[in-house]
Amino acid sequence: PMLRALRVGKTTLALLESALRYYLNDENLHSKNEVFKMLRTEPQKLKKRAIILQKALEKENIKSSVIPSQGFCGGGALPMEDIESYAVHLQPEYNTNKEKSRFAEDVYHKLMLGSPPVVGILKKGNIDFDVLTIRDEEVPEVAKAIARVARK
């Protein structure tokens, strides 16, 4: 019974065939595959996107700054390939590193449980949001989600 429930159907095969066809032509692969589109985004475009996110957070009274970042694509043909990117670094006003770290962890966990979830980067008691995997049209929604959580 499990074999029948888990077997590949016509729909799965059609989707797989469609995805694999992109690999026959580099232009199609880079224009229609979301992962390849993200990996080929120019650093200056990422910086511009980070600035837009930072300004959207500023309008919500969330203090932040744009910082250089490194994205990573691991496994397969790109084992641990560094990708030049930019991130928005939240700058909460707390007196101690412990309070700042608690804030970063709280924001991180609340955003992960949100709908839609937003994934931040926790590093040394800070929280950053790399824009490598955020589409331009998603920036306002991401900013609102961050502001909603960071103000509480």
Side-chain angles (χ1 to χ4, degrees):
M2 284 302 284
L3 253 146
R4 184 174 210 148
L6 298 176
R7 74 177 173 206
V8 176
K10 293 177 197 172
T11 305
T12 304
L13 288 174
L15 290 170
L16 182 59
E17 179 183 4
S18 175
L20 291 175
R21 281 186 190 273
Y22 294 145
Y23 285 85
L24 297 174
N25 178 319
D26 280 350
E27 189 57 41
N28 281 342
L29 181 62
H30 295 136
S31 67
K32 296 185 179 181
N33 183 296
E34 288 298 317
V35 173
F36 281 89
K37 264 197 249 184
M38 288 178 195
L39 292 175
R40 291 181 60 134
T41 306
E42 293 292 325
Q44 286 307 320
K45 185 171 182 182
L46 293 171
K47 186 174 185 178
K48 182 179 174 186
R49 189 179 298 155
I51 291 168
I52 291 168
L53 177 58
Q54 189 268 331
K55 289 192 182 307
L57 289 172
E58 193 175 87
K59 286 179 184 174
E60 298 282 347
N61 295 318
I62 305 295
K63 190 173 178 185
S64 61
S65 61
V66 173
I67 60 170
S69 180
Q70 290 290 320
F72 296 96
C73 185
L78 299 168
M80 296 308 292
E81 181 73 25
D82 291 359
I83 303 163
E84 185 180 345
S85 185
Y86 288 88
V88 175
H89 173 79
L90 295 191
Q91 298 174 314
E93 295 181 9
Y94 285 104
N95 295 326
T96 67
N97 285 338
K98 187 175 182 178
E99 288 175 324
K100 194 167 94 172
S101 182
R102 191 177 305 128
F103 166 82
E105 288 178 21
D106 189 45
V107 167
Y108 176 84
H109 291 294
K110 285 180 179 176
L111 285 171
M112 288 288 286
L113 296 172
S115 180
V118 175
V119 180
I121 302 167
L122 282 176
K123 190 179 352 180
K124 297 181 182 177
N126 295 304
I127 186 159
D128 301 333
F129 298 93
D130 195 311
V131 297
L132 181 64
T133 58
I134 300 173
R135 290 190 214 113
D136 290 337
E137 62 271 13
E138 295 173 329
V139 170
E141 186 177 4
V142 170
K144 286 178 185 169
I146 294 169
R148 194 171 39 250
V149 171
R151 277 194 295 242
K152 294 180 179 178

